[in-house]
Coordinates of all heavy atoms in Angstrom, one line a residue:
R1 N 17.2 -147.6 -23.5 CA 18.4 -147.9 -22.7 C 19.5 -146.8 -23.0 O 20.1 -146.3 -22.0 CB 19.0 -149.2 -23.1 CG 20.4 -149.5 -22.5 CD 20.9 -150.9 -22.7 NE 20.9 -151.3 -24.1 CZ 20.5 -152.4 -24.6 NH1 20.1 -153.3 -23.8 NH2 20.6 -152.6 -25.9
D2 N 19.6 -146.3 -24.2 CA 20.6 -145.2 -24.5 C 20.2 -143.9 -23.7 O 21.1 -143.3 -23.1 CB 20.6 -144.9 -26.0 CG 21.2 -146.0 -26.8 OD1 21.8 -147.0 -26.2 OD2 21.0 -146.0 -28.0
T3 N 19.0 -143.6 -23.6 CA 18.5 -142.5 -22.8 C 18.9 -142.7 -21.3 O 19.4 -141.8 -20.6 CB 16.9 -142.3 -23.0 OG1 16.7 -142.0 -24.4 CG2 16.5 -141.1 -22.1
H4 N 18.7 -143.9 -20.8 CA 19.1 -144.1 -19.4 C 20.6 -144.1 -19.2 O 21.0 -143.5 -18.2 CB 18.5 -145.6 -19.0 CG 18.7 -145.8 -17.5 ND1 18.8 -147.0 -17.1 CD2 18.7 -144.9 -16.5 CE1 19.0 -146.9 -15.7 NE2 18.8 -145.7 -15.3
L5 N 21.3 -144.6 -20.2 CA 22.8 -144.5 -20.0 C 23.3 -143.1 -20.0 O 24.3 -142.8 -19.4 CB 23.4 -145.3 -21.2 CG 23.4 -146.9 -21.0 CD1 23.9 -147.6 -22.2 CD2 24.1 -147.3 -19.7
R6 N 22.6 -142.2 -20.7 CA 23.0 -140.8 -20.8 C 22.6 -140.0 -19.6 O 23.0 -138.9 -19.4 CB 22.5 -140.2 -22.0 CG 23.1 -140.7 -23.3 CD 22.5 -140.1 -24.6 NE 22.9 -140.8 -25.7 CZ 22.0 -141.3 -26.7 NH1 20.7 -141.2 -26.5 NH2 22.5 -142.0 -27.7
S7 N 21.7 -140.6 -18.8 CA 21.0 -139.9 -17.6 C 22.1 -139.8 -16.4 O 23.2 -140.4 -16.5 CB 19.9 -140.7 -17.1 OG 20.2 -141.8 -16.4
E8 N 21.6 -139.2 -15.4 CA 22.5 -138.9 -14.2 C 22.7 -140.4 -13.5 O 23.7 -140.4 -12.8 CB 21.8 -138.0 -13.2 CG 20.5 -138.5 -12.6 CD 19.3 -138.3 -13.5 OE1 19.4 -137.7 -14.6 OE2 18.2 -138.9 -13.1
H9 N 22.1 -141.4 -13.8 CA 22.4 -142.7 -13.3 C 23.7 -143.3 -13.8 O 24.3 -144.1 -13.1 CB 21.3 -143.7 -13.6 CG 20.0 -143.5 -12.8 ND1 18.8 -143.8 -13.3 CD2 19.8 -142.9 -11.6 CE1 17.8 -143.5 -12.4 NE2 18.4 -142.9 -11.4
F10 N 24.0 -142.8 -15.0 CA 25.3 -143.4 -15.6 C 26.2 -142.4 -16.0 O 26.9 -141.7 -15.2 CB 24.9 -144.4 -16.8 CG 24.3 -145.6 -16.3 CD1 22.9 -145.8 -16.2 CD2 25.0 -146.7 -15.9 CE1 22.3 -147.0 -15.8 CE2 24.5 -147.9 -15.4 CZ 23.1 -148.0 -15.4
F11 N 26.2 -141.9 -17.3 CA 27.2 -141.0 -17.8 C 26.9 -139.5 -17.5 O 27.7 -138.7 -17.6 CB 27.4 -141.2 -19.3 CG 28.1 -142.5 -19.6 CD1 27.4 -143.6 -20.2 CD2 29.5 -142.6 -19.5 CE1 28.0 -144.7 -20.4 CE2 30.1 -143.8 -19.8 CZ 29.4 -144.8 -20.3
D12 N 25.6 -139.2 -17.2 CA 25.3 -137.8 -16.9 C 25.7 -136.8 -18.0 O 26.3 -135.8 -17.8 CB 25.8 -137.4 -15.5 CG 25.1 -136.2 -14.9 OD1 24.1 -135.7 -15.5 OD2 25.6 -135.6 -13.9
A13 N 25.2 -137.1 -19.2 CA 25.6 -136.4 -20.4 C 25.3 -134.9 -20.3 O 25.9 -134.0 -20.8 CB 25.0 -137.0 -21.7
G14 N 24.2 -134.6 -19.6 CA 23.8 -133.2 -19.4 C 24.8 -132.3 -18.7 O 25.0 -131.2 -19.0
H15 N 25.5 -132.9 -17.8 CA 26.5 -132.2 -17.1 C 28.0 -132.5 -17.5 O 28.9 -131.7 -17.3 CB 26.4 -132.5 -15.5 CG 25.2 -132.0 -14.9 ND1 24.1 -132.8 -14.6 CD2 24.8 -130.8 -14.5 CE1 23.1 -132.0 -14.0 NE2 23.5 -130.8 -14.0
H16 N 28.1 -133.7 -18.1 CA 29.5 -134.2 -18.5 C 29.3 -134.7 -19.9 O 29.3 -136.0 -20.0 CB 29.9 -135.2 -17.5 CG 30.0 -134.7 -16.1 ND1 30.9 -133.9 -15.6 CD2 29.1 -135.0 -15.0 CE1 30.6 -133.6 -14.3 NE2 29.5 -134.2 -13.9
P17 N 29.3 -133.9 -20.9 CA 29.0 -134.4 -22.2 C 30.1 -135.1 -23.0 O 30.0 -135.7 -24.0 CB 28.7 -133.1 -23.0 CG 29.5 -132.0 -22.2 CD 29.4 -132.5 -20.8
E18 N 31.3 -135.1 -22.3 CA 32.5 -135.7 -23.0 C 33.2 -136.7 -22.0 O 33.2 -136.4 -20.8 CB 33.5 -134.8 -23.6 CG 32.9 -133.9 -24.6 CD 34.0 -132.9 -25.0 OE1 35.0 -132.6 -24.3 OE2 33.9 -132.5 -26.2
I19 N 33.7 -137.8 -22.5 CA 34.7 -138.6 -21.8 C 36.0 -138.4 -22.5 O 36.1 -138.3 -23.7 CB 34.3 -140.1 -22.0 CG1 33.0 -140.4 -21.3 CG2 35.4 -141.0 -21.4 CD1 32.5 -141.8 -21.6
T20 N 37.1 -138.2 -21.7 CA 38.4 -137.9 -22.3 C 39.4 -138.9 -21.7 O 39.3 -139.4 -20.6 CB 38.9 -136.5 -22.0 OG1 39.0 -136.3 -20.6 CG2 38.0 -135.5 -22.6
F21 N 40.4 -139.2 -22.5 CA 41.6 -140.0 -22.1 C 42.7 -139.3 -22.6 O 43.0 -139.0 -23.8 CB 41.6 -141.5 -22.7 CG 42.8 -142.2 -22.3 CD1 43.0 -142.6 -21.0 CD2 43.9 -142.4 -23.2 CE1 44.1 -143.3 -20.6 CE2 45.0 -143.0 -22.9 CZ 45.2 -143.5 -21.5
A22 N 43.5 -138.8 -21.6 CA 44.7 -138.0 -21.8 C 46.0 -139.0 -21.7 O 46.3 -139.4 -20.6 CB 44.9 -136.8 -20.9
A23 N 46.6 -139.3 -22.8 CA 47.8 -140.2 -22.7 C 48.9 -139.3 -22.4 O 49.4 -138.4 -23.1 CB 48.0 -140.8 -24.0
R24 N 49.6 -139.6 -21.2 CA 50.7 -138.8 -20.7 C 52.0 -139.4 -21.2 O 53.0 -138.7 -21.2 CB 50.7 -138.7 -19.2 CG 49.4 -138.0 -18.7 CD 49.7 -137.5 -17.3 NE 48.6 -136.6 -17.0 CZ 47.8 -136.8 -15.9 NH1 48.0 -137.8 -15.1 NH2 46.9 -135.9 -15.7

């Protein structure tokens, strides 16, 4: 499941390795 979640179907870690939250 973790591999699937990192795939292009979900988080696409290969192209987008980070999630960011910028508190303004």
Side-chain angles (χ1 to χ4, degrees):
R1 176 175 48 226
D2 293 347
T3 299
H4 190 211
L5 288 172
R6 293 178 191 126
S7 78
E8 64 281 353
H9 289 148
F10 290 95
F11 290 105
D12 196 10
H15 293 102
H16 306 285
E18 296 178 336
I19 295 170
T20 59
F21 178 71
R24 296 199 170 124

